[in-house]
Amino acid sequence: MRKLSMDDLNRDSVEEFKNKKKIPLVLVLDNVRSLNNVGSVFRTADAFMVSKVYLCGITGTPPHRDIEKTALGATESVEWEHVPDTLELVKQLKEQGYQIGSVEQAENSVKLNKFIPEPEQNYALVLGNEVFGVEQEVINHSDFVLEIPQFGTKHSLNISVATGVVVWDFLSKIIR
C-alpha cells in the first residue's frame, strides 16, 4: 500500500465543488464559542458535501485566523451565513420544509444508530454551545432530537467530533 499524494486524490477546485449537488443537509451552529470548532465544522461540511452552514448568535464568522487554522480553506468552498437568532432561523427553515433535528441528550431522543433519513427530505441539524448545548427553546421547536450513543464515563463529545459523527452517519445512510 502506498499513501496517496494530493495529486493522486484529484480533488475538485473550489468552483467545481460549489457547482456540485450537495446532500440535503444544513448545519446550524447555536452559539458555538470556539473558533477552532467552527473551522472544524467547515472542514467536515466540505468533506461530506453539506449544503450550508449557519453560524448563529455568538458563533464566530470567517474570515478569522483561528477558524482558518482548522478549516484549511473550507470557508471558501462551503456556503455559509451568519444569523443572529437560532430560534428564528429554525422557524424559517421549518417553513421551508426542513426537518429540524437538535443534536443533544434529551428525553425521547432518537439514537443516531436508529435514525433513518427520509429520501428527498431536507434536514437541518442544530449543534450547540460547548458548555450549555442546544438552547431548550430551539429543542422545543425541533422535530426530533438526535443523540449519539456514548458508553464511557464522559457525558459529551466535542462539537467538532459530534459534527463529524452525525454528518458521516447521515451521508452513509443516504448513499446506500
Side-chain angles (χ1 to χ4, degrees):
M1 285 184 267
R2 177 182 66 83
K3 188 171 146 178
L4 298 176
S5 71
M6 292 304 243
D7 288 337
D8 293 331
L9 294 173
N10 195 28
R11 297 287 191 227
D12 292 334
S13 70
V14 170
E15 283 309 310
E16 289 169 330
F17 178 87
K18 285 182 176 183
N19 291 321
K20 277 190 165 178
K21 184 175 189 228
K22 308 298 185 293
I23 66 173
L25 176 67
V26 298
L27 299 174
V28 178
L29 303 189
D30 180 22
N31 293 299
V32 173
R33 295 177 309 154
S34 166
L35 298 177
N36 290 322
N37 282 338
V38 174
S40 291
V41 169
F42 270 98
R43 196 159 159 197
T44 298
D46 176 278
F48 299 131
M49 305 281 293
V50 169
S51 295
K52 188 171 185 175
V53 175
Y54 289 95
L55 308 169
C56 299
I58 66 164
T59 305
T61 61
H64 194 284
R65 66 182 174 88
D66 288 339
I67 293 174
E68 288 306 323
K69 186 187 310 181
T70 50
L72 297 179
T75 57
E76 299 300 316
S77 57
V78 174
E79 185 179 346
W80 66 272
E81 180 180 344
H82 179 263
V83 178
D85 188 280
T86 308
L87 182 58
E88 288 306 311
L89 173 64
V90 164
K91 290 176 181 177
Q92 289 172 10
L93 290 171
K94 280 184 94 157
E95 288 175 8
Q96 295 171 19
Y98 282 82
Q99 284 283 305
I100 310 297
S102 288
V103 179
E104 189 60 83
Q105 297 165 334
E107 294 173 342
N108 302 314
S109 64
V110 176
K111 301 295 187 215
L112 184 61
N113 54 309
K114 303 289 185 191
F115 174 68
I116 306 296
E118 297 173 32
E120 306 304 315
Q121 174 63 57
N122 288 321
Y123 288 89
L125 295 180
V126 182
L127 295 116
N129 177 278
E130 294 87 344
V131 175
F132 305 110
V134 178
E135 293 178 37
Q136 183 62 54
E137 196 65 23
V138 171
I139 292 171
N140 294 346
H141 283 81
S142 296
D143 298 302
F144 61 96
V145 174
L146 199 55
E147 184 173 340
I148 301 169
Q150 297 172 53
F151 308 100
T153 61
K154 300 303 171 197
H155 299 288
S156 66
L157 293 169
N158 178 284
I159 180 179
S160 64
V161 173
T163 301
V165 170
V166 298
V167 174
W168 169 248
D169 182 78
F170 182 90
L171 177 61
S172 70
K173 289 173 178 172
I174 65 169
I175 61 172
R176 292 179 188 229

